[in-house]
Amino acid sequence: SSDLNPDPAYAFSGTQILGTDLSGLGQHPGDYENNIGYDKEFAVSPMIDCRNYENILLSFQRQLGIDKYKFDKVSVDIKADTGDWQTIWRNYNTVISDTGWTKQSFDIASFADRKKILIRFSLGPTDHADQYCGWNIDDFMVSGTEIAIPEIPENKISIYPNPGNNYFYVEFLNTDILNFADVIVSDLSGKIVYQKYFTAEEIK
C-alpha cells in the first residue's frame, strides 16, 4: 500500500477483512489502479433475506482511501430482489484518507424492509493519477426488528382434499392477521417438493 494512505495493519476484529488489492498485485501494490472503468471493480454480498424483518440497518467498519469524486469514485449500493441497484452512499468532492477504522451506519429500511437484498461495495471509475488504498471493510452487518408472526389456530387453516393425490388446497380462513405466508411442502422422506413465499396482498 502507499505510504500516504496505507491499508490497516490489522483487522478491526478477527483476522480477515474485505479490501481493495490486498494481494499486492498490479502496478500499484496495495492500492487501486489507474483508469479503472465504470462499475468494473466491486464486491457483492450473498443474498440477504430480510423478508421477516423491518427497520433494517446496514453497518460496518471502514478504513477507506479515495481521491475526490471528480477523479475517483466509490459507492455503497443496494439491490432488492424486485428492483435495480440504488446508491446509498458515495464519496464526494473531498479526499477520504481514513487513518483508522471508523464505524459506518446506514438506515436502509426503505430499500430492504421485508425484501431480499444484495449489498455492493464498488470502486471505479478512476483517473490516470493518484492511487489510494481503496476499500477496507470489516464487521459487515445487516440488522433489523423481527416481524412478529401471528399464531394461527389450527381451525383457521383448511387443507383439502385430505388425503389427496397430486393436487390439494391450503386455505387460510382469516387472512386479516397475516403479513405473509411461507408455504413449504415436503414428501414423507422430508424432501421439499414445493416452496413459495406469498406477500399479504397475494393471500388476501
Side-chain angles (χ1 to χ4, degrees), residues 72-91:
D72 300 332
K73 299 172 176 59
V74 291
S75 65
V76 181
D77 311 306
I78 187 169
K79 182 181 187 301
D81 55 350
T82 56
D84 298 320
W85 286 107
Q86 304 287 327
T87 297
I88 59 176
W89 180 88
R90 67 169 176 83
N91 61 314

Side-chain angles (χ1 to χ4, degrees), residues 2-104:
S2 65
D3 294 332
L4 184 60
N5 304 286
D7 290 307
Y10 302 98
F12 182 81
S13 60
T15 59
Q16 296 181 324
I17 66 171
L18 172 70
T20 301
D21 195 22
L22 296 179
S23 64
L25 301 177
Q27 293 184 354
H28 304 282
D31 293 343
Y32 57 80
E33 300 297 322
N34 293 331
N35 301 313
I36 296 172
Y38 177 77
D39 210 21
K40 293 298 183 184
E41 292 200 4
F42 52 85
V44 181
S45 73
M47 184 70 76
I48 302 167
D49 191 345
C50 301
R51 290 177 298 176
N52 296 339
Y53 296 86
E54 57 190 7
N55 306 316
I56 305 297
L57 183 71
L58 166 65
S59 64
F60 54 90
Q61 294 288 339
R62 179 196 88 181
Q63 189 164 336
L64 173 63
I66 188 74
D67 205 350
K68 297 178 181 180
Y69 181 82
K70 178 180 178 181
F71 306 112
D72 300 332
K73 299 172 176 59
V74 291
S75 65
V76 181
D77 311 306
I78 187 169
K79 182 181 187 301
D81 55 350
T82 56
D84 298 320
W85 286 107
Q86 304 287 327
T87 297
I88 59 176
W89 180 88
R90 67 169 176 83
N91 61 314
Y92 286 92
N93 288 322
T94 182
V95 172
I96 298 174
S97 186
D98 294 338
T99 57
W101 290 105
T102 62
K103 185 171 183 179
Q104 307 293 307

